[in-house]
Amino acid sequence: MITFTWNGYKFSIVQFDMGIFEKDMTGHSHSKNSYELHYIIGGKGTLATSNTVYSLSKGNFFVTGPNIYHQQSTDKEDPLQEIFVYLQTGGEKTNDSLVSAFLSTHFYFCKNKELQKYFEMMLCENQEKKLGYDAAVGAIMQLLLTHITRIYLPQFNNISENNGNLNDRRFFIIESAFIDNPTNITLAALSESIGLCERQTQRLLKKYYGKSFTQKKEEAAKKDDI
């Protein structure tokens, strides 16, 4: 069993492997705090839950969490092939929004080719078991769970950067502008390059450099003459 931590929350990998369905999988549900991740890499079949039947083919991904009844049927001439990961969670409460989103989603079904690489990396590590195997699998699982949760929460995938990071980029642009073109730089051009109006640019320069645009330009020009 491999244990890893994702965003401060403990998970245990009870089992993971690749399986070829020579016969149908009997309907069942998982216990509390248990989640199984399934990725179909080949073949055909169906997935039946308590109220819906889904067609399965290469690229399908689905999660079956606590108390979710599911049954998989395989095509006898083109058997299903899947990579699966069976997880047991820590059980304690968490305030982390990503972990909470994953834990609260007991069933999910989609088609997503991007997830395949993570499952295949897991499978490769499991087959080769090289030095650092446990740590590598844990790291891949953190990436996989992060990607899965991004699929769950697409509305939060474009997170605005905070003002500190934005200002860091602005400072770099400002300082580069005064170094590269101290003679011909204009307040209008500088303001446009950092996404502010001229008045805001003047305030930014005064607050963080203690100088007006004209003073900064004169200072840069003097240094350029040396």
Side-chain angles (χ1 to χ4, degrees):
M1 183 181 294
I2 299 174
T3 299
F4 67 95
T5 300
W6 177 50
N7 289 5
Y9 195 83
K10 183 179 177 181
F11 291 82
S12 296
I13 303 173
V14 178
Q15 185 181 14
F16 72 93
D17 206 345
M18 184 187 79
I20 299 176
F21 289 74
E22 300 295 344
K23 59 180 181 179
D24 297 342
M25 174 70 72
T26 303
H28 63 287
S29 58
H30 300 303
S31 62
K32 182 180 179 181
N33 302 325
S34 297
Y35 296 77
E36 192 166 28
L37 317 178
H38 311 253
Y39 193 86
I40 306 301
I41 58 173
K44 300 176 183 177
T46 59
L47 166 69
T49 64
S50 57
N51 53 18
T52 308
V53 177
Y54 302 85
S55 295
L56 294 176
S57 60
K58 184 177 180 180
N60 283 134
F61 164 73
F62 60 99
V63 176
T64 49
N67 303 315
I68 297 296
Y69 173 84
H70 57 289
Q71 177 184 13
Q72 288 171 257
S73 299
T74 188
D75 186 307
K76 300 300 186 282
E77 296 183 359
D78 190 8
L80 279 174
Q81 301 175 52
E82 76 165 20
I83 302 175
F84 64 92
V85 184
Y86 189 95
L87 294 175
Q88 189 76 30
T89 67
E92 68 274 13
K93 292 182 179 180
T94 176
N95 293 323
D96 184 85
S97 58
L98 288 178
V99 176
S100 296
F102 177 79
L103 297 179
S104 63
T105 306
H106 290 187
F107 179 79
Y108 190 83
F109 181 93
C110 72
K111 193 153 192 169
N112 189 295
K113 294 181 180 179
E114 292 182 14
L115 292 174
Q116 183 171 345
K117 60 185 177 184
Y118 300 111
F119 283 93
E120 289 181 342
M121 289 168 64
M122 290 272 294
L123 185 62
C124 182
E125 287 290 341
N126 188 43
Q127 292 172 341
E128 297 180 353
K129 291 186 171 63
K130 293 181 179 180
L131 181 67
Y133 159 73
D134 287 8
V137 169
I140 296 168
M141 278 304 308
Q142 292 180 60
L143 289 171
L144 177 58
L145 292 179
T146 299
H147 199 117
I148 290 170
T149 310
R150 287 173 176 171
I151 296 172
Y152 290 173
L153 304 171
Q155 68 272 31
F156 297 114
N157 283 344
N158 295 317
I159 300 174
S160 298
E161 297 186 61
N162 60 46
N163 289 333
N165 289 337
L166 183 57
N167 277 338
D168 286 343
R169 295 203 312 278
R170 283 173 173 158
F171 297 148
F172 176 78
I173 294 170
I174 289 169
E175 290 163 18
S176 296
F178 281 109
I179 291 172
D180 296 338
N181 192 18
T183 304
N184 298 321
I185 186 173
T186 65
L187 178 58
L190 180 63
S191 300
E192 183 178 356
S193 68
I194 62 175
L196 297 176
C197 69
E198 293 183 21
R199 179 177 295 179
Q200 290 172 319
T201 300
Q202 287 279 31
R203 289 175 180 171
L204 187 71
L205 292 172
K206 198 68 176 177
K207 179 177 180 180
Y208 290 99
Y209 294 95
K211 297 179 176 67
S212 67
F213 172 79
T214 300
Q215 290 170 324
K216 281 285 291 177
K217 184 173 180 177
E218 290 174 350
E219 178 186 63
K222 289 178 181 178
K223 289 180 180 178
D224 193 48
D225 290 337
I226 297 174

